[in-house]
Amino acid sequence: MRRFHLQPGAALRGRVSVPGDKSVSHRAIMLSAIASGRSRITGFLESADCLATLHAFEAMGVTFVRDGEALEVDGVGRDGLHAPDGPLDLGNSGTSMRLMSGLMAGQRFDSRLVGDASLSRRPMARVIEPLTRMGARIEGQEGGRAPLIIQGGQPLKGIDYTPPVASAQIKSCVLLAGLYADGVTRVTEPGVSRDHTERMLSAFGVIIEREARTLSIVGGQALQAADVAVPADLSSAAFFIVGATIAESSAIVLPGVGINPTRRGVLDILKRMGADIRLHDERIQAGEPVADIEVRSASLKGVDIGGDEVELAIDEFPAIFIAAACAEGTTRLTGAAELRVKESDRIAVMADGLSRLGVDVNVADDGLTIVGNATGPAFGGARIESHDDHRIAMAFAMAALRASAPIEIDDCDFVDTSFPGFVALAAEAGLQIRASEVSE
Ligand code: S3P
């Protein structure tokens, strides 16, 4: 088991290049695999989650070749995937399982999607239900959990679907199944969610239309190979953005980070709290807006967070909670029950860790309230449980910048699911962090 050890204090400084975007990397593999021709992906995130997606497509006959910094993918065409020899192991990755269940429902062969203990606890009924309505045959375990057994050769038909929660994974799953369905598939979003799938489908030549909150895709369309330049991941950058904000005398620049408007809630929330965040050289890179992000230390104040803003920052709340604990006054998050079904129950797990560090926190079903401490150390020292959740581990690592005593974080192996090289990069930026292997 990997443990992080953090010494209190210090500042973050310099240029911090975080790795590629996880959501975009998954989609780049999936779409290039089922496109015709050779696609070239640069900036691909070589994390455990994205490699799980890559290996699954390799098992279905797609060839991936590294060419220097780029990953070349020989797409097999929409109907060119082969039956894998065994189950497709998607590890810890909810994005892989939910998006791929849509793709697998349209294949001629059977497939079995499996995951680790955390993924096997996460809700999959939310994709089984619409896919079944489309004509797919999917068997999950009790309570709609993985493994998912998907029967091939089922004709799919287009449906009109409104997911019960705003979720890019559900939306993307249904749209990808829609590629294999007869007729038009329409998804009406109950709230805005990240639109990487729509943007990338267009880049691969698929016609996908949006009218207000409804997306439509006509089945049977073919994908043409495309080049994808993956932006740096805003969700990974968020830990450093919060770190540089809360640590005195900090100044960092994060180059080439994705600032897609359906994803950038963390920037808007932190700015509202008083953070000094500036965007430079805003540009479009392979259909996605990116910028260099400059962050300097700032004094924060507590804010209320809720409504549509929640999904726009859905993965960044562990980091935002750390910022809230360093802010003057109270931060109140509501309408965020989805946080309870992420890689861990992020409301319960963050509240537990914050309490151990001496922070005044109150838990509700759909959020929490944090009373911050804007002057001096905001955190004491403690050993924290990350509950095998990468973002919990990285968020608490940043708390050390405003702690009065050392912090240790257990079960940090999962940081590699989204951010390989986190410890080295954070240490280079100034965080006093080291990792050790301990027996459990
Ligand atoms: C993701 C969508 C979000 C997010 C996840 C990645 C995606 O999940 O939490 O880390 O790549 O589509 P939901 O769609 O369940 O909100």
Side-chain angles (χ1 to χ4, degrees):
M1 182 254 283
R2 197 185 307 162
R3 178 176 291 159
F4 285 175
H5 306 260
L6 293 124
Q7 292 300 317
L12 298 185
R13 300 196 68 86
R15 207 173 157 81
V16 184
S17 293
V18 301
D21 188 285
K22 182 154 79 72
S23 292
V24 176
S25 295
H26 280 301
R27 288 157 172 83
I29 295 293
M30 293 179 197
L31 299 195
S32 61
I34 57 162
S36 303
R38 176 171 289 192
S39 297
R40 207 175 149 81
I41 307 171
T42 49
F44 173 68
L45 173 65
E46 296 224 12
S47 74
D49 274 13
C50 298
L51 290 172
T53 296
L54 185 150
H55 292 141
F57 282 93
E58 241 169 15
M60 293 187 283
V62 181
T63 310
F64 298 88
V65 178
R66 290 209 167 59
D67 175 23
E69 298 276 279
L71 184 63
E72 294 198 332
V73 188
D74 279 323
V76 295
R78 203 179 53 108
D79 297 309
L81 296 173
H82 294 170
D85 281 341
L88 299 172
D89 185 355
L90 304 173
N92 191 246
S93 177
T95 307
S96 312
M97 185 161 292
R98 298 213 178 97
L99 271 60
M100 286 183 63
S101 57
L103 281 178
M104 293 301 110
Q107 305 304 316
R108 280 169 309 214
F109 52 84
D110 300 347
S111 52
R112 186 181 167 88
L113 309 187
V114 305
D116 69 6
S118 151
L119 186 53
S120 307
R121 280 192 298 269
R122 296 181 65 187
M124 294 298 150
R126 53 180 62 192
V127 291
I128 298 174
E129 200 260 327
L131 292 173
T132 304
R133 280 220 240 156
M134 294 177 83
R137 299 191 70 160
I138 306 184
E139 203 185 299
Q141 310 308 302
E142 213 184 306
R145 317 273 152 184
L148 303 181
I149 299 146
I150 305 180
Q151 244 180 60
Q154 306 300 316
L156 302 185
K157 59 179 189 309
I159 56 168
D160 283 11
Y161 189 63
T162 303
V165 289
S167 157
Q169 295 184 350
I170 303 176
K171 167 179 69 176
S172 303
C173 163
V174 176
L175 291 172
L176 291 174
L179 278 174
Y180 294 88
D182 197 22
V184 185
T185 297
R186 290 189 192 84
V187 181
T188 301
E189 295 196 84
V192 182
S193 70
R194 64 191 68 190
D195 65 1
H196 303 303
T197 302
E198 299 90 294
R199 286 173 188 260
M200 207 181 288
L201 279 169
S202 301
F204 279 80
V206 172
I207 297 169
I208 173 158
E209 282 171 2
R210 172 182 281 278
E211 215 185 295
R213 288 201 167 169
T214 302
L215 292 152
S216 322
I217 189 166
V218 177
Q221 298 187 61
L223 288 80
Q224 299 305 326
D227 290 346
V228 182
V230 180
D233 196 328
L234 178 59
S235 300
S236 299
F239 303 108
F240 289 92
I241 296 173
V242 166
T245 299
I246 63 173
E248 218 176 285
S249 308
S250 294
I252 58 168
V253 173
L254 301 134
V257 182
I259 52 159
N260 182 316
T262 61
R263 252 312 262 296
R264 52 172 281 167
V266 62
L267 299 178
D268 302 323
I269 292 168
L270 289 173
K271 279 191 184 176
R272 209 147 53 74
M273 295 175 77
D276 182 353
I277 300 172
R278 295 167 210 210
L279 303 184
H280 299 289
D281 194 12
E282 289 188 44
R283 54 209 186 262
I284 300 288
Q285 180 180 302
E288 288 282 349
V290 301
D292 302 334
I293 303 181
E294 182 188 358
V295 189
R296 292 174 182 272
S297 344
S299 308
L300 299 177
K301 57 180 192 320
V303 293
D304 287 345
I305 309 167
D308 260 1
E309 213 170 24
V310 172
E311 179 65 16
L312 304 185
I314 192 70
D315 290 339
E316 286 69 66
F317 284 104
I320 292 169
F321 295 159
I322 297 299
C326 302
E328 188 190 329
T330 303
T331 296
R332 212 171 280 105
L333 170 69
T334 51
E338 274 294 297
L339 290 182
R340 292 198 179 274
V341 291
K342 295 296 178 187
E343 287 83 330
S344 70
D345 176 342
R346 287 185 176 157
I347 292 177
V349 170
M350 281 304 295
D352 177 50
L354 287 167
S355 304
R356 281 174 200 239
L357 293 173
V359 177
D360 182 354
V361 47
N362 257 303
V363 177
D365 287 348
D366 67 339
L368 44 74
T369 302
I370 295 170
V371 182
N373 184 350
T375 49
F379 307 97
R383 181 174 294 165
I384 307 281
E385 270 295 322
S386 75
H387 289 263
D388 293 339
D389 184 333
H390 53 139
R391 301 201 199 280
I392 301 287
M394 291 185 276
F396 280 120
M398 292 298 163
L401 292 161
R402 283 282 293 277
S404 58
I407 295 177
E408 288 182 340
I409 308 167
D410 277 354
D411 291 319
C412 294
D413 313 66
F414 283 81
V415 165
D416 289 349
T417 60
S418 69
F419 202 152
F422 169 74
V423 170
L425 193 65
E428 205 181 301
L431 190 69
Q432 301 189 70
I433 184 170
R434 72 180 173 83
S436 71
E437 288 302 324
V438 292
S439 48
E440 289 182 56

